Amino acid sequence: MTVSEWSGTLIKWQTALDDLKAHLAPALGRAETRASGGAFIDGLLSGAERKTGWMLAEEAGLDRPYRIQSLLGRSKWSADSLRERVYSYVMAALGDRDGVLVVDETGFVKKGTQSVGVARQYSGTAGRIENSQIGVFLGYASRYGHALIDRRLYLPKSWSEDMDRRRKASVPDEVAFATKPAMARDMITTALDAGTPCAWVLADALYGSDYKLRRMLEDRGQPYVLAVRSNHHLRFIAQDGVIQTEPASLAEALESGDWHALSAGEGAKGPRLYYWARLPLSWTTRDGFERWLLFRRSLKTSDDVAYYFAHAREGTSLAELAGAAGLRWTIEECFLRAKDDLGLDHCEARSWHGWHRHMTLVMAAAAFLARLAADQRRAAWHHRHPAPDDPGKRDKTSPKPPPA
């Protein structure tokens, strides 16, 4: 295999980009809207530092940003229909029976009070309470790569109960206040109902602490590894009565032999190594499944511990649970690329539909990059491991077949 093949030099990216636009076209409707949508995606993929209306218009060779702004505001098309097209595109590229669904939120710091959903609220992106919007996103990851497949804007009660603000921001009448975990349950349910191949559902402690999410997944027979807080209330029934405790106390009682050094997957600086341990939870579960309390501890700092609830099929190894838990960070990588390279946090639209349109178009651009990488991986793997009945595609390093 040549360097040009495995490095991606020979990828026909323009053809692939045209294919993406053709796939998305039915959701955009009119030819003018499709053209504007294509120009918007071209701008997102460009080297423009800010993905604002003016900058994207300039990349498209337009004198004014009217067409770009109209795409997010005045034109008639459904962001949800486009999201469905992005979802099918991602599944065609990344879908795998060992894939995982990952839910998390990210913040968008804003100035002023007019943008839909903006409020003084905690933003994990900023690491503090800020004037910001919060979006809850669902990602999909597999051996082929990872991408975002769904998004919802969190609407605080100060917005959901203010009819005047709702009207000005074009918030649909059917949109009511919903907590972030409730939004996550809805998105995960939608993905699973659509037949998304999913070995695990993953989330941080905000969602792992939601018993409704855990119950929903357990009722579906869906394995999960969900983070929980160190002081999460636990209750067990023992011979001498009810025992109340929390994950931190149980971790302190573990013996040194209970901990095993395992990798949580590759990171920026190589394998992410931790000590891992688990304890069975004797709570009732459906046949063929087990519940575990999973612990992850730093190799250097013994009091740096993370905690997870795990619902897994009987016989699942500690290494499998650790590997699944480590994949939660794929959605952080999705956010990083979408913000740093594609302008996820550059949305200028103030309306409900404008926000969802912008986010979905960015998700489409990110899905395009993910698909290019996935196709490249598949080509490299196929070249290295050809089908046994296909001698014409044998790797050059493979021995020649013996003479007949």
Side-chain angles (χ1 to χ4, degrees):
M1 189 175 194
T2 65
V3 170
S4 61
E5 289 175 313
W6 66 258
S7 66
T9 304
L10 300 181
I11 290 178
K12 297 180 179 179
W13 64 269
Q14 186 59 61
T15 300
L17 184 57
D18 291 341
D19 290 343
L20 168 70
K21 293 176 183 178
H23 181 78
L24 301 179
L28 294 171
R30 299 175 56 190
E32 294 85 350
T33 307
R34 295 198 298 270
S36 297
F40 195 99
I41 290 174
D42 288 340
L44 296 176
L45 294 169
S46 74
E49 183 176 354
R50 295 285 298 175
K51 315 298 184 180
T52 62
W54 276 103
M55 295 299 292
L56 296 183
E58 184 176 320
E59 289 292 329
L62 303 174
D63 293 332
R64 297 185 301 161
Y66 176 83
R67 280 180 55 189
I68 299 299
Q69 294 170 346
S70 178
L71 179 69
L72 299 184
R74 292 174 291 273
S75 57
K76 294 183 178 181
W77 58 278
S78 169
D80 287 339
S81 295
L82 185 66
R83 186 211 64 81
E84 292 172 2
R85 307 293 295 183
V86 172
Y87 166 82
S88 62
Y89 185 87
V90 170
M91 287 301 107
L94 309 182
D96 184 74
R97 65 179 183 179
D98 294 323
V100 299
L101 288 170
V102 195
V103 67
D104 201 359
E105 76 277 357
T106 190
F108 306 92
V109 176
K110 292 289 182 179
K111 296 180 180 179
T113 60
Q114 301 304 309
S115 295
V116 61
V118 70
R120 293 281 300 172
Q121 53 192 328
Y122 179 79
S123 167
T125 304
R128 60 184 182 273
I129 295 176
E130 273 284 1
N131 193 61
S132 60
Q133 296 169 314
I134 303 295
V136 181
F137 288 79
L138 185 65
Y140 185 82
S142 73
R143 71 190 76 188
Y144 305 114
H146 39 269
L148 300 172
I149 60 172
D150 205 350
R151 71 290 171 268
R152 304 284 174 87
L153 176 65
Y154 173 68
L155 199 65
K157 282 190 174 182
S158 59
W159 269 88
S160 62
E161 298 174 354
D162 189 327
M163 299 309 296
D164 185 54
R165 295 181 88 185
R166 289 175 63 107
R167 178 182 55 79
K168 290 179 180 178
S170 300
V171 178
D173 293 340
E174 64 271 17
V175 174
F177 172 76
T179 64
K180 296 168 192 172
M183 296 164 67
R185 291 197 304 270
D186 189 37
M187 288 192 290
I188 292 169
T189 297
T190 298
L192 295 177
D193 286 348
T196 305
C198 177
W200 300 94
V201 172
L202 314 172
D204 68 13
L206 174 64
Y207 306 95
S209 299
D210 178 36
Y211 80 92
K212 291 183 180 179
L213 173 59
R214 301 197 304 270
R215 178 62 61 84
M216 180 270 287
L217 294 173
E218 290 166 11
D219 289 345
R220 299 183 69 117
Q222 174 61 57
Y224 62 70
V225 177
L226 305 174
V228 292
R229 298 181 179 88
S230 61
N231 60 352
H232 188 92
H233 186 70
L234 298 173
R235 180 178 295 178
F236 303 96
I237 298 177
Q239 291 182 347
D240 53 351
V242 177
I243 299 175
Q244 298 187 37
T245 185
E246 65 281 328
S249 297
L250 293 174
E252 292 173 358
L254 292 170
E255 303 290 340
S256 59
D258 295 326
W259 295 93
H260 304 272
L262 296 167
S263 171
E266 288 289 326
K269 300 180 180 179
R272 293 178 285 125
L273 296 174
Y274 297 94
Y275 285 123
W276 296 85
R278 63 177 175 176
L279 289 173
L281 295 172
S282 57
W283 302 331
T284 303
T285 189
R286 63 188 295 169
D287 291 343
F289 283 83
E290 302 168 321
R291 286 198 186 100
W292 296 91
L293 188 59
L294 180 67
F295 307 90
R296 189 199 72 197
R297 195 184 79 193
S298 168
L299 296 181
K300 296 181 179 179
T301 309
S302 60
D303 59 355
D304 183 4
V305 183
Y307 312 89
Y308 307 84
F309 280 141
H311 175 250
R313 292 182 173 85
E314 289 180 350
T316 299
S317 67
L318 176 62
E320 181 73 7
L321 295 178
L327 288 173
R328 187 174 70 81
W329 297 104
T330 54
I331 198 168
E332 297 291 346
E333 294 176 3
C334 288
F335 291 150
L336 184 64
R337 164 168 259 184
K339 287 186 175 183
D340 286 358
D341 300 334
L342 301 173
L344 189 75
D345 55 347
H346 296 173
C347 179
E348 296 177 307
R350 292 180 173 180
S351 68
W352 175 269
H353 58 273
W355 186 92
H356 286 85
R357 288 176 174 183
H358 177 93
M359 298 302 155
T360 311
L361 287 164
V362 174
M363 286 165 52
F368 167 71
L369 298 178
R371 183 159 193 166
L372 289 184
D375 289 347
Q376 190 174 334
R377 291 187 183 100
R378 282 190 175 91
W381 294 340
H382 179 72
H383 190 93
R384 184 176 179 182
H385 302 291
D389 58 348
D390 188 4
K393 293 186 178 297
R394 188 180 64 253
D395 191 289
K396 294 179 181 180
T397 61
S398 302
K400 294 181 179 180

